[in-house]
Amino acid sequence: MIVTIDGVAASGKSSVASGVARALQVPYISSGLLYRGATLLGLQAGLDLHDARALLVTLQAQPLRLEPLAEGNRVWHAEQDVTEQLHSTRMDRGVSVVAALPEVRAWVDAQLRALEAPFVAEGRDMGTNVFPQAPAKFYLTASPRIRAERRARERPEDVPAIEAALILRDQLDAAQSAPATDAVVIDTGPLTLEGVIEAILAHLPA
Ligand code: C5P
């Protein structure tokens, strides 16, 4: 069984997916980390992030590996754990450019589809594009201000700067970030993390 949890940036997808996966005793998969990993490789190689062909050559020559651990996914590159480098303002800025490239999307999709179910998959297009056959789909939303306040606990910038960056990323991601028609949409604004996890568990088919 595959559960998909999509949603806008900083809507709490990773924490929610991790909690749901723990309750179900299955792994969770954070697809955004593969886009972030591809961005890191591009930046490290000094590539123009719009250059899909060069990025793909780099990705094929130096494969990234997603390790779906229950306590948080890790990304490995050439025997090195690069996870800690993937969440920065610089990476946030570059990743939407890389994620807009169809060639990179196809590369990420192939990595994800090769994983063995059951699992909980979180991202932008898990329910629409990557796992349209999933029997349980969710889409998380929250206002930009609430999301910025949450993220301000993890980043050095202040809330208005984070909010502006989130609104921009929402616009850049809009093409690949619509809820599936059969997804349950949850506004996480008024809910605690545990509340969102419970709402999802309550909606799962028996
Ligand atoms: O979820 P996270 O914020 O880490 O994702 C980083 C970026 O990766 C998103 O802003 C989006 O551009 C891209 N992404 C995507 N499709 C996914 C997951 C992430 O386009 N399934």
Side-chain angles (χ1 to χ4, degrees):
M1 140 108 146
I2 296 176
V3 177
T4 63
I5 302 179
D6 291 304
V8 287
S11 56
K13 298 182 301 290
S14 295
S15 311
V16 170
S18 167
V20 171
R22 254 180 283 139
L24 298 176
Q25 297 186 306
V26 300
Y28 86 97
I29 288 157
S30 190
S31 60
L33 286 183
L34 284 173
Y35 289 102
R36 289 176 183 272
T39 307
L40 178 71
L41 289 201
L43 290 172
Q44 280 180 343
L47 303 179
D48 170 0
L49 294 183
H50 297 87
D51 187 345
R53 185 193 288 249
L55 262 171
L56 225 59
V57 169
T58 305
L59 282 170
Q60 273 150 8
Q62 315 171 25
L64 289 168
R65 189 168 60 81
L66 184 69
E67 188 182 15
L69 297 176
E71 62 272 20
N73 285 202
R74 312 301 299 180
V75 175
W76 292 85
H77 172 232
E79 305 306 312
Q80 199 196 340
D81 182 345
V82 295
T83 318
E84 299 306 320
Q85 299 172 56
L86 301 180
H87 285 99
S88 65
T89 305
R90 179 170 176 243
M91 213 59 69
D92 286 353
R93 258 189 246 123
V95 71
S96 295
V97 175
V98 169
L101 302 170
E103 295 86 345
V104 174
R105 300 202 73 77
W107 176 84
V108 169
D109 295 353
Q111 312 274 319
L112 297 171
R113 292 190 183 121
L115 298 168
E116 204 178 316
F119 51 74
V120 177
E122 64 94 350
R124 297 293 189 292
D125 61 346
M126 299 299 97
T128 48
N129 174 46
V130 184
F131 303 114
Q133 79 284 12
K137 301 180 183 177
F138 299 89
Y139 190 90
L140 308 186
T141 64
S143 72
R145 177 48 64 112
I146 285 182
R147 291 185 277 138
E149 284 167 356
R150 289 178 185 157
R151 187 119 302 175
R153 295 179 209 131
E154 304 160 4
R155 299 284 155 94
E157 291 83 11
D158 60 15
V159 171
I162 297 175
E163 185 179 12
L166 281 175
I167 291 171
L168 178 65
R169 196 140 68 94
D170 286 351
Q171 287 163 356
L172 294 172
D173 289 343
Q176 62 259 11
S177 188
T181 49
D182 52 347
V184 176
V185 179
I186 300 176
D187 178 1
T188 69
L191 298 174
T192 61
L193 172 60
E194 288 69 30
V196 181
I197 294 168
E198 274 167 27
I200 289 181
L201 293 174
H203 269 99
L204 292 181

